Amino acid sequence: MLMSTSAVDARDFAGSRALDETVKGAIARGELPGAVLIVGHRGRVVHRKAYGDRAVVPAVEPMTLDTIFDCASLTKVVATTTALMRLYEQGKFDLNDRVTRYIPEFMAGKSDVTIRNLLTHFSGLKPDVPLVPAWSGYETGIHLACTFRPAGAPGRQHIYSDINFELLGEIVHRLSGKTLAEFTRDEVFQPLGMRETAYQPPKEWFPRIAPTEVLKGEALPLRGVVHDPTARYMGGIAGHAGLFSTGDDLAKFAQMMLNRGKLGRTRIASPATIDLFTQPETPIDQPILRGLGWDIDSPYSSCRGELFPVGSYGHTGFTGTSLWIDPGSQTYVILLSNSVHPGARPPLRRLRAE
């Protein structure tokens, strides 16, 4: 069924009042300045509201439904994982291929890490590349990702690592001949009508972008520039962070996933590929469940809450974003905020779960 973000059945959704109270309570406790919350159910948007403020410095700006957010690690699933689904269907790689097949310089060509290991965060690679001393450039970031030694052998331990997706973004680049930004624009976002989803957002979007942190020594918060320091050092285009989007655009994406790869007449992936990427793919002797890119049941899956079962999937982002999708009840919950504005706060685990 084609989801329409303009058709909001809020009058028929008994949960709206409780959702309002939950988000407003978190804002009152100072956990975030504002948010956009969208809930979809059985092909319809049943809750779609903006709360609080988009900005508090240098001036207060009310939150609006068309606010554009720094998606942070939602980039991993909305951009990079979806790009890899497209390339997988084209037969460009196998999940058990070693990374060195596509990036020969990775660990000087001597590594057993596979694409599956990267996608499930069982590569053994550390959480991120060094940021000190400061560096700049996309190529420098990939070089560091290729040479920073793993903390352990692949397949042994779950280590949530941005390096995994920095490498996956580069694999998309090498397999497609396009940057990750170009490939996702052409193959995912434009076909789905996600017209306000992009890396390196244009200047005309800036007034609607939710600002993030005021960095040390700066007078103004980051706005239209990715918050994640590694992605920022890489020029704003990376596999782990850098994407900007709106709630309405992400609702289109979530409905495509619930429709097993299709929105309207546009097919992004086959049902079999959607099923493959969203089922548990971690080693069978491990208690943590992750799909290919997607989180299922891990220390990071607070937004599953008490009701969504194993079999649902989603992801969170450091800036205060989250997306959770439940095929069983045909439901998705999108919570977008800039909880790092004007400074960092604790993660939104309680709010996401509620």
Side-chain angles (χ1 to χ4, degrees), residues 27-328:
I27 293 171
R29 292 192 300 269
E31 296 175 11
L32 67 169
V36 168
L37 176 62
I38 298 181
V39 179
H41 181 59
R42 295 182 179 175
R44 304 284 291 181
V45 172
V46 296
H47 186 94
R48 176 178 175 265
K49 291 188 180 181
Y51 304 85
D53 296 319
R54 176 163 64 204
V56 296
V57 296
V60 174
E61 301 173 25
M63 185 66 75
T64 60
L65 281 167
D66 63 352
T67 296
I68 299 166
F69 292 85
D70 180 339
C71 291
S73 284
L74 289 189
T75 303
K76 292 181 172 74
V77 289
V78 177
T80 309
T81 298
T82 312
L84 288 164
M85 286 196 296
R86 297 283 291 169
L87 293 167
Y88 177 79
E89 290 198 339
Q90 295 169 16
K92 295 293 182 70
F93 69 90
D94 186 86
L95 291 168
N96 293 320
D97 288 342
R98 294 180 180 179
V99 174
T100 52
R101 178 172 180 177
Y102 306 102
I103 307 179
E105 66 271 29
F106 177 65
M107 299 299 155
K110 300 176 181 178
S111 172
D112 291 329
V113 173
T114 65
I115 291 178
R116 186 190 302 273
N117 294 147
L118 297 182
L119 281 163
T120 57
H121 293 285
F122 272 84
S123 67
L125 291 166
K126 296 181 180 180
D128 204 355
V129 300
L131 297 173
V132 179
W135 50 270
S136 66
Y138 178 86
E139 292 78 11
T140 302
I142 297 302
H143 171 74
L144 289 170
C146 286
T147 56
F148 198 46
R149 302 304 303 176
R156 302 274 183 88
Q157 182 184 4
H158 176 263
I159 301 174
Y160 182 82
S161 172
D162 287 345
I163 297 176
N164 292 329
F165 275 77
E166 291 153 14
L167 293 168
L168 289 167
E170 177 62 7
I171 289 173
V172 171
H173 179 205
R174 298 195 186 192
L175 288 177
S176 70
K178 297 181 178 182
T179 68
L180 182 60
E182 293 167 339
F183 186 85
T184 51
R185 178 197 65 202
D186 296 344
E187 298 284 330
V188 181
F189 305 140
Q190 286 188 352
L192 288 176
M194 297 171 66
R195 296 180 179 87
E196 294 184 313
T197 301
Y199 287 92
Q200 298 175 326
K203 293 286 186 182
E204 55 265 30
W205 290 10
F206 279 30
R208 284 194 292 120
I209 292 177
T212 54
E213 195 169 358
V214 180
L215 299 180
K216 185 178 180 179
E218 298 293 331
L220 298 175
L222 293 168
R223 192 163 203 166
V225 177
V226 60
H227 177 265
D228 179 87
T230 305
R232 196 164 65 246
Y233 287 6
M234 292 175 71
I237 300 175
H240 71 290
L243 194 69
F244 288 76
S245 189
T246 63
D248 285 344
D249 271 9
L250 292 175
K252 294 175 183 177
F253 178 86
Q255 191 62 50
M256 177 275 292
M257 294 296 295
L258 280 178
N259 293 346
R260 299 176 74 203
K262 188 177 182 182
L263 187 71
R265 297 181 179 180
T266 298
R267 180 163 291 284
I268 297 298
S270 70
T273 297
I274 296 292
D275 292 347
L276 172 65
F277 275 68
T278 57
Q279 68 186 12
E281 289 289 337
T282 43
I284 59 173
D285 61 342
Q286 296 289 335
I288 288 173
L289 297 181
R290 294 195 74 103
L292 299 173
W294 292 94
D295 191 7
I296 298 173
D297 187 19
S298 82
Y300 300 94
S301 52
S302 61
C303 43
R304 251 188 66 205
E306 297 290 334
L307 298 178
F308 287 135
V310 172
S312 61
Y313 56 89
H315 215 281
T316 62
F318 185 81
T319 51
T321 58
S322 62
L323 164 64
W324 206 262
I325 300 170
D326 178 33

